[in-house]
Amino acid sequence: MIERDFFQRDPLTCSRELIGCELFAGECAGVIVETEAYCAVGDEACHTFFRSGTRDFMALHAPGAAYVYLNYGLHWLFNILVKGGGGAKDGFVLVRALEPLRGIESMRARRQRHALRDLCSGPGKLTQALGITGKEHGIDLCAGGGIGFQPRRFNPEVESCQRIGIVKAADLPWRFVLKDSPFVSVRPRVE
DNA sequence: AAGAAGATCAAT
DNA sequence: TTGATCTTCTTG
């Protein structure tokens, strides 16, 4: 079980170090292979930049809280609140892709897809596969409940690249992937 | 009251 | 490349 102090650091460190950790939700679990960092200060792509409700959420919750929201009216996106202790170090980690480990038949049933690579290879896909929706918004992920994290069991090679699907601050290399994983959403551009 | 924007996905 | 679909925030 990953403890709260893991999330009492800045979003870039948390995003990088979550690669290779396990996310579990009920009977389902997978290795985190892709994340993105969003910073409360100085990042125009972060919801705190244009949503007062998000700034309120950040003030009212402890690090390790789930921040789940509906995007494009269709897809739930799963984030973790991180607070490094002071404005510029606060933010969110978006979990974007998993390598499925357990509960694979449940994932297949919820996704209506069979291939392992189609189950959790995107932020909207993994919430559907794990059954995460807005009802998980605000829950504590460090409380030993049904959803949480397990530490790494190997030493991953992590690659950083540009974030996906945003227009503002699109050039920042704040997306992190497990190198050469076939389970990421979009393969990083090879230089 | 109405409109725009938005961290996506699957089918064409 | 496009359509689906909804919440939040801003403007009138």
Side-chain angles (χ1 to χ4, degrees):
Chain A
M1 182 76 185
I2 288 183
E3 309 294 335
R4 192 173 318 283
D5 58 4
F6 184 98
F7 301 109
Q8 293 174 337
R9 300 180 297 168
D10 71 279
L12 278 79
T13 302
C14 289
S15 297
R16 174 177 285 276
E17 296 198 7
L18 272 177
I19 299 297
C21 297
E22 179 183 315
L23 169 64
F24 63 87
E27 81 280 20
C28 297
V31 176
I32 298 173
V33 298
E34 179 178 348
T35 60
E36 283 178 1
Y38 289 86
C39 295
V41 173
D43 179 6
E44 294 191 33
C46 186
H47 281 185
T48 52
F49 195 81
F50 55 91
R51 276 178 57 167
S52 57
T54 304
R55 294 192 288 274
D56 294 341
F57 179 93
M58 180 167 280
L60 291 171
H61 289 81
Y67 177 80
V68 185
Y69 75 97
L70 189 64
N71 197 33
Y72 294 102
L74 296 165
H75 307 289
W76 295 103
L77 270 58
F78 175 73
N79 301 254
I80 308 113
L81 173 63
V82 305
K83 287 172 141 182
K89 301 230 167 199
D90 299 344
F92 296 95
V93 179
L94 169 67
V95 181
R96 291 189 51 92
L98 308 176
E99 174 177 345
L101 276 186
R102 297 196 301 277
I104 287 169
E105 290 312 316
S106 300
M107 295 186 190
R108 284 176 169 147
R110 284 191 282 244
R111 285 277 300 137
Q112 297 293 106
R113 291 288 182 286
H114 184 269
L116 275 191
R117 263 151 302 188
D118 285 343
L119 296 180
C120 298
S121 54
K125 297 181 190 178
L126 78 86
T127 54
Q128 185 183 29
L130 300 186
I132 293 174
T133 66
K135 69 189 183 308
E136 276 77 32
H137 185 55
I139 66 170
D140 187 353
L141 301 170
C142 302
I147 306 184
F149 303 92
Q150 298 291 350
R152 289 169 169 169
R153 295 169 59 181
F154 67 105
N155 195 5
E157 187 172 353
V158 180
E159 199 172 355
S160 71
C161 46
Q162 292 180 194
R163 295 180 290 186
I164 301 290
I166 56 174
V167 297
K168 292 175 296 188
D171 50 331
L172 298 171
W174 288 0
R175 173 184 181 228
F176 300 91
V177 302
L178 175 63
K179 187 167 170 52
D180 297 327
S181 171
F183 296 97
V184 302
S185 62
V186 177
R187 257 183 240 251
R189 220 190 81 77
V190 197
E191 39 189 278

